[in-house]
DNA sequence: CATAAAACTGTGCAGTTGGACAGTTTTATC
DNA sequence: GATAAAACTGTCCAACTGCACAGTTTTATG
């Protein structure tokens, strides 16, 4: 008889009158958040659903209840992080009020770098699974390629506008920048806000300097 | 009684009169080689000693016999790959007969890039374990840092010699180049020899162009 | 050819994992 | 307050992993 369940009460069963729907949404979110952190630091196979459950202070069976299986959870995490990044970008682009082409390029570059530096989880996860070539997640390739293509398109645009040295191959240049970004901000994320912003500035400077027409 | 061992004969027990010492060295080498490939593609935790044993066509207990435990095997693989890279570099630098500073820089860069592109396993493994932060392998940080420092020193030298733009931060520039290298040649290694060499040339060109004093 | 060391192998074990499932608690609704 | 659905939980299971170990085969040497 496996019926001793409930001897340990829920995390906060009755507490606030949140309504059960909202509470379910909250636990879903909490699971997604902790899963994102663990997937980003240990990789898909590097952490168990039990690890995630413990971090989110939830029974591991509850993860199964909300997300079905581990792979679905992973996909949900990716969606969650993408929507998060999308919202952050929405906010950032509103601040862009510069006008000279070089300044627009600098702003755009800075925004992209800053967003990644502040919340590197998505990049880390994509990079990791791509590196490990988990054939389960063919989508990763697609997502990563989409991001790349958008960036390459942007560089080409800047080349036509005369802001970027027209002699360099846009794809190579993009890999250069993406690689540097990875090394500096994704591999070991910078926690301190001030230090990170300083690094973002320095990095943006280097990109602009290297890329500008002489 | 666990004594049914030997029902499956050795890989090639008597075959050539190689001498048992040499045969032991051969199996050691075979294990190291296959372990390198698997560690590089799946990571330390991503492959089991049984996987490695199967790839090397050896019983998994034999790995234990030769290397003790998995962690020691991993360290031996790193040593093995480092010595391999060292020997390859020895050969390459002998070919360097250019004289102008720019050409020396180009040659040196090209050699380093080519070596990594041809045998990306070491870089992949270091990058992977560093990314996953396997605290077991604190050495990784040291090794990676050593490689980085050597490269940074080289860039500084080139700056003093006037070959590299003195305005750029050597550490940032190094990360840039290392990152691009990673993206282009380590993340998904290029198998075809000709294609790879073409890419190495193109990449070298980009580095030289971006880095040169205007 | 006896023999002992070296090289190698199968099997057992405890721990962890993803998943399955029956069970319990909570909450909205009548 | 009864009740049914939703939210959540403990526990069992098969598969896999690193390691331990007793056993077997091979080979060099007297």
């Amino acid at each position: 008889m496996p019926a001793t369940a409930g001897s340990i009460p829920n995390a906060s069963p009755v507490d606030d009158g949140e309504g059960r729907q909202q509470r379910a949404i909250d636990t879903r979110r909490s699971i997604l958040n902790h899963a994102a952190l663990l997937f980003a630091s240990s990789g898909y196979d590097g952490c168990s659903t039990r690890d995630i459950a413990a971090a989110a202070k939830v029974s591991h069976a509850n993860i199964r209840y909300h997300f079905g299986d581990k792979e679905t959870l992973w996909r949900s995490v990716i969606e969650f992080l993408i929507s998060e990044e999308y919202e952050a970008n929405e906010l950032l682009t509103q601040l862009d009020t510069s006008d000279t082409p070089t300044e627009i390029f600098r702003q755009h570059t800075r925004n992209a770098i800053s967003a990644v530096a502040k919340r590197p989880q998505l990049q880390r996860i994509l990079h990791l699974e791509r590196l490990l070539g988990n054939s389960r997640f063919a989508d990763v390739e697609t997502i990563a390629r989409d991001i790349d293509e958008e960036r390459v398109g942007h560089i080409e645009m800047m080349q036509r506008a005369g802001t970027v040295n027209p002699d360099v191959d846009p794809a190579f240049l993009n890999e250069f920048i993406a690689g540097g970004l990875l090394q500096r901000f994704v591999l070991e994320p910078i926690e301190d806000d001030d230090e990170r912003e300083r690094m973002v500035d320095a990095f943006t400077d280097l990109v602009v300097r290297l890329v500008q027409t002489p």
Side-chain angles (χ1 to χ4, degrees), chain A:
Chain A
M1 55 186 78
T4 330
S7 55
I8 294 165
N10 284 349
S12 52
V14 183
D15 272 3
D16 349 285
E18 255 194 303
R20 86 166 140 189
Q21 203 168 226
Q22 186 55 43
R23 278 206 62 224
I25 292 175
D26 286 353
T27 54
R28 246 187 89 94
R29 219 186 157 78
S30 171
I31 292 171
L32 284 174
N33 210 29
H34 290 281
L37 291 173
L38 279 171
F39 282 147
S41 61
S42 319
Y44 181 84
D45 288 316
C47 66
S48 63
T49 54
R50 280 164 175 86
D51 293 338
I52 297 169
K57 281 167 190 152
V58 151
S59 81
H60 88 273
N62 200 1
I63 291 183
R64 219 181 129 48
Y65 172 71
H66 277 292
F67 297 96
D69 60 5
K70 197 184 179 185
E71 204 167 312
T72 308
L73 170 63
W74 188 86
R75 280 177 214 284
S76 306
V77 167
I78 298 294
E79 269 177 48
F80 171 64
L81 289 174
I82 287 179
S83 71
E84 214 185 45
E85 193 173 292
Y86 179 75
E87 286 163 25
N89 262 353
E90 285 277 277
L91 284 178
L92 274 177
T93 45
Q94 286 177 3
L95 300 174
D96 187 354
T97 53
S98 12
D99 36 7
T100 77
T102 312
E103 266 314 300
I104 293 176
F105 178 67
R106 176 189 295 274
Q107 272 295 346
H108 200 100
T109 309
R110 222 207 93 95
N111 284 349
I113 293 172
S114 175
V116 171
K118 202 178 279 176
R119 191 93 163 108
Q121 275 77 20
L122 179 60
Q123 298 299 324
R124 264 187 90 100
I125 296 179
L126 291 181
H127 179 70
L128 251 171
E129 300 312 328
R130 206 178 168 196
L131 197 59
L132 291 172
N134 274 350
S135 52
R136 269 169 292 189
F137 309 125
D139 335 6
V140 173
E141 279 299 324
T142 318
I143 298 173
R145 230 173 274 281
D146 282 354
I147 297 177
D148 274 352
E149 267 171 30
E150 200 190 317
R151 290 208 199 118
V152 170
H154 194 248
I155 293 174
E156 282 166 349
M157 211 177 65
M158 289 293 157
Q159 280 182 326
R160 282 194 295 274
T163 328
V164 170
N165 189 331
D167 292 335
V168 300
D169 178 348
F172 268 110
L173 183 57
N174 173 55
E175 275 170 14
F176 239 64
I177 297 176
L181 195 63
L182 199 80
Q183 297 268 334
R184 175 60 76 165
F185 299 106
V186 178
L187 201 56
E188 29 188 307
I190 302 172
E191 299 294 340
D192 183 73
D193 284 7
D194 291 344
E195 193 196 343
R196 189 179 57 235
E197 286 308 302
R198 249 182 293 125
M199 286 297 178
V200 169
D201 279 329
F203 197 84
T204 309
D205 270 353
L206 182 65
V207 172
V208 172
R209 175 177 301 149
L210 284 183
V211 150
Q212 257 172 357
T213 46

